């Protein structure tokens, strides 16, 4: 028996960003999404390019990189299954500020940013619920970044 | 020298305030600033301890410092301490070579309590270590890895490090992984060769797959890391009373007399270093230090 492909709404409903959102949010957004795959070392997005897409990672690991002189690509974060890559589609000037590169084979749902913004504008209740979810994720990311900046494992010089 | 297990014959106690002379019988550089010393008592007497306890190590003519054992009680192999070079005493200890001598007082403090009913009954055990914090947990991980091999309960080892070259016991982590133990490593800053997770160690929790309702967690690392990790575990449903953390202050006498290591109502050399997060520790971790 040939397995029936899961619908985009079903795939979205399984992602933490949309799971449990009221009002059929996954169905509402399904038309904005498509399945994508990236081989290792391929860029999902590149610093300076137009930010058009939200990626929901279904499998694999994605490295968020920043480039510096004489340092090459410096990995500052990794994102795995159930997590989100790419926020810059949300607010002007809609431009990526980091690279995101597949570390291993990556499967993701790519959601068109303009389409998603349009759904949120048309349905403010959905838009507010979505922004609450995104704010929570951004706060988690901000907190993690702050902890990294503390260099917790560095030399405390006490002994 | 033979290291005896908790259940073995009790060694003749040494005086807790008098260092016994031990000889370095092995030295291994673990990372750029961490060295593991293998030790034997100069008088040949056995040395018993519990997982998670610490010794006061003396670098003669320099000073004394509290270092947890990084080997398992009962062996195999000699007593081991993994020491990070962060100051004059630890630097002098790291510089010791095979055949050199040092002073050892101990063992002191509480342990990881691996004989607790939940652990013996087969609960998932989640070990979260940051930086050199993996050293005091290595013996416990070896014990719990053997428990998993016997079908006695699952083990999850989650490790945070500054960078890929600072991952402690990398070879042993890989061996545990090959044995089927869930091993996750996250670094604060990756390099082009690093294909693993980058970020704080709590990023490894969602993918670990342990049962939070029954899990026991053992945490050791920088205090801020333990505070956030303990809270993340509680947020995922782990009972705060099932989380054990290893705290350190200015350990001096080792027997609760001098008070240098006081933290609230605790004298950590005696009441710690391992304490239950759900008790007084959660509040103490939130206290601002002056």
């Amino acid at each position: 028996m040939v397995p029936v492909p899961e619908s985009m709404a079903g795939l979205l409903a399984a992602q933490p960003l949309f799971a449990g959102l009221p009002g059929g949010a996954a169905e509402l957004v399904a038309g904005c999404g498509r399945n994508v795959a990236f081989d290792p070392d391929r860029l999902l997005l590149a610093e300076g390019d137009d930010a058009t897409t939200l990626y929901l990672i279904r499998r694999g690991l994605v490295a968020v990189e920043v480039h510096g002189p004489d340092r090459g690509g410096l990995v500052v974060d990794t994102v795995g299954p159930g997590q989100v890559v790419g926020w810059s589609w949300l607010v002007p000037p809609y431009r990526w500020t980091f690279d995101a590169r597949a570390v291993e084979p990556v499967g993701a749902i790519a959601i068109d940013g303009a389409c998603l913004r349009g759904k949120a504008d048309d349905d403010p209740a959905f838009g507010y619920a979505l922004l609450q979810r995104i704010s929570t994720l951004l706060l988690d990311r901000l907190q993690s970044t702050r902890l990294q900046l503390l260099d917790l494992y560095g030399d405390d010089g006490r002994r | 020298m033979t290291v005896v297990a908790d259940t073995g014959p009790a060694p003749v106690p040494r005086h807790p305030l008098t260092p016994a002379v031990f000889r370095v019988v092995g030295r291994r550089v673990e990372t750029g600033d961490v060295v593991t010393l293998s030790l034997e008592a100069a008088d040949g007497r056995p040395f018993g301890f519990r997982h998670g306890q610490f010794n006061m190590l003396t670098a003669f003519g320099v000073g004394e410092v509290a270092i947890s054992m990084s080997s398992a009680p009962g062996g195999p192999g000699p007593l081991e301490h993994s020491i990070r070079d962060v100051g004059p005493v630890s630097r002098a200890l790291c510089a010791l070579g095979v055949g050199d001598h040092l002073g050892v007082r101990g063992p002191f403090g509480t342990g990881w309590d691996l004989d607790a009913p939940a652990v013996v009954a087969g609960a998932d055990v989640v070990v979260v270590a940051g930086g050199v914090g993996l050293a005091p947990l290595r013996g416990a991980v070896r014990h719990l890895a053997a428990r998993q091999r016997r079908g006695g309960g699952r083990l999850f080892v989650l490790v945070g490090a500054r960078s890929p070259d600072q991952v402690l016991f990398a070879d042993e982590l890989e061996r545990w992984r090959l044995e089927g133990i869930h091993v996750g490593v996250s670094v604060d800053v990756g390099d082009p060769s690093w294909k693993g997770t980058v970020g704080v160690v709590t990023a490894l929790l969602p993918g670990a797959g342990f049962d939070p309702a029954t899990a026991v967690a053992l945490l050791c690392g920088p205090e801020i890391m333990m505070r956030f990790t303990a809270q993340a575990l509680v947020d995922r449903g782990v009972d705060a009373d099932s989380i054990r953390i290893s705290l350190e202050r200015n350990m001096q006498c080792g027997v609760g007399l001098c008070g240098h290591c006081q933290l609230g109502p605790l004298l950590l050399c005696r009441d710690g270093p391992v304490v239950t997060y759900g008790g007084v520790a959660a509040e103490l971790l939130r206290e601002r230090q002056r």
Side-chain angles (χ1 to χ4, degrees), chain B residues 259-270:
Chain B
H260 282 89
C261 62
Q262 182 175 1
L263 178 64
L266 304 178
L267 294 172
L268 286 177
C269 70
R270 181 193 67 193

Side-chain angles (χ1 to χ4, degrees), chain A residues 41 61-65 71-79 81 83 101-104 140 143-159, chain B residues 65-67 84-91 129-132 160-162 186-192 194-202 222 224-225 228 248:
Chain A
D41 218 32
L61 193 67
V62 176
V64 179
E65 299 177 350
R71 300 186 73 176
L74 199 62
V75 180
V76 295
D77 195 11
T78 50
V79 180
Q83 295 181 295
R101 186 184 304 275
V103 178
E104 51 194 41
D140 286 346
Q143 185 60 54
S144 297
T145 303
R146 285 171 169 164
L147 288 175
Q148 280 175 267
L149 289 172
L150 287 175
D151 190 18
L152 292 177
Y153 310 122
D155 182 356
D156 64 8
R158 284 181 302 175
R159 294 187 294 198
Chain B
V65 66
I67 304 285
R84 186 172 177 212
D85 174 358
V86 293
V89 182
S90 55
R91 183 163 304 131
V132 77
R162 189 186 207 178
S186 183
V187 299
D188 277 351
V189 180
D191 61 31
W194 180 249
K195 302 302 179 189
T197 302
V198 175
V200 293
V201 71
T202 49
I224 298 172
M225 181 220 92
F228 280 92
E248 183 181 349

